[in-house]
Amino acid sequence: MSEPSQRTGAGFKGPAELVLAAEIAHRYYLDERTKVEIADEFRLSRFRVARLLQVARQEGVVRIEIQQSGAIDLDRSIRLRERFGLEHAVVVDCAEGDPALLRAALGRAAADLLGEVVSAGDLIGLAWARCVQSMVRQVRRLPQASVVQLTGVLPRPQDPSGSIDDETAVDVVRDLARVCRGPAYLYFAPFLVPDAATARALRRQPEIVRAFGKASSADVAVAGIGRWAPGLSTLYQAATPPERTALAQAGVCAEMAGICLAADGEPLHTPFNDRMIAVEAAQLRAASHRIAIPYGSEKYPAVLAALRSGLVTMLVTHSALAEALLSRDEPARS
């Protein structure tokens, strides 16, 4: 609240009313008293209290400013949520130059968001991605909940900096379950196997049957988004060169938890899917809250595809990618 001007505001009858308005504004905005409580204290009608508060704002006695909080880009967060009809959007103001630092910043924001949306007794589904791994590492406290694995284990990838990820999908699920003090529904099968027959046999394994059965009733699901292009998807890197070409020709633009998506958001089923140990689009869509954590502005076509698919209800990303998404004219598919 600003200091009242010594000159009587045009909206007030005189200095006494100006002082009264300032005192009422202090009670309302700083002391967090209700209008009814203020009316009783000052022996005024609630209507007059409301009028004095309104005029106090109009005359500059009270100025309300929305400040950027920490590293959150509030303007783009609001615009992104409204633009794509999301439940929540959190945009981190962080440069793209260092992927590890960017993942750490997004992981912190996603961990905080997870803490806001998870309730006691919930089931959390995790699809392996570096950004999901970063989130789990930074979760400090959650209500008691259980955790289920949504995708199999990929070979531990090496990033351009030369470091090798030391955690698999199993480790990430187990680590979050430890924080949540609940059970972990996990399995050690690969994400991608050599042929469809092997995948069918693995899907009949009891631990996978149990995990996939649980996944269909997850309350919260968390995943990354990959673009079907070199260096922009760990699943792309795991595919053979002929498969990469074939899927691109089939219209695959993005992948999310192993679900291949066309540019318009339509899930595509290809022979490649038959080799995966991962949830299907209908299972992911069944989760009430679906958090995606994409990074890298060059991924914007893939993120647009995921937003159009209806598989994402909450997005955690960074300013450059958010701006790339907002600059596109074509609306998201309802």
Side-chain angles (χ1 to χ4, degrees), residues 196-233:
T198 302
R200 286 195 297 271
L202 285 171
R203 292 190 197 106
R204 290 194 291 270
Q205 296 297 313
E207 65 273 16
I208 296 179
V209 171
R210 181 179 68 162
F212 281 9
K214 289 287 184 181
S216 298
S217 58
D219 299 286
V220 183
V222 190
I225 298 173
R227 180 178 176 182
W228 199 251
L232 300 179
S233 163

Side-chain angles (χ1 to χ4, degrees), residues 78 107 135 147 172 206 229 256 264 304 318 324:
I78 294 168
M135 178 197 75
V147 188
V172 171
M256 179 178 174
D264 65 357
L304 279 174
H318 56 98

Side-chain angles (χ1 to χ4, degrees), residues 94-267:
C94 184
E96 286 191 284
D98 188 326
L101 290 177
L102 182 56
R103 284 195 298 270
L106 294 179
R108 283 192 297 273
D112 290 342
L113 177 61
L114 191 67
E116 290 186 87
V117 301
V118 171
S119 300
D122 277 357
L123 175 61
I124 306 167
L126 298 180
W128 193 90
R130 290 191 183 102
C131 51
V132 176
Q133 178 190 66
S134 176
M135 178 197 75
V136 170
R137 285 175 174 172
Q138 298 181 80
V139 172
R140 295 292 175 263
R141 182 184 297 274
L142 282 177
Q144 187 169 14
S146 50
V147 188
V148 63
Q149 184 176 334
L150 301 181
T151 57
V153 178
L154 277 170
R156 290 172 175 168
Q158 182 170 331
D159 68 25
S161 69
S163 65
I164 298 176
D165 289 318
D166 59 357
E167 292 183 317
T168 66
V170 173
D171 299 314
V172 171
V173 169
R174 185 185 287 125
D175 289 347
L176 187 62
R178 189 176 297 116
V179 175
C180 294
R181 309 172 307 285
Y185 301 100
L186 47 82
Y187 50 89
F188 292 87
F191 197 156
L192 191 63
V193 296
D195 53 68
T198 302
R200 286 195 297 271
L202 285 171
R203 292 190 197 106
R204 290 194 291 270
Q205 296 297 313
E207 65 273 16
I208 296 179
V209 171
R210 181 179 68 162
F212 281 9
K214 289 287 184 181
S216 298
S217 58
D219 299 286
V220 183
V222 190
I225 298 173
R227 180 178 176 182
W228 199 251
L232 300 179
S233 163
T234 51
L235 192 57
Y236 179 95
Q237 298 304 120
T240 64
E243 286 172 331
R244 296 170 186 170
T245 301
L247 266 67
Q249 291 174 345
V252 174
C253 169
E255 59 88 6
M256 179 178 174
I259 300 162
C260 295
L261 301 171
D264 65 357
E266 187 68 26

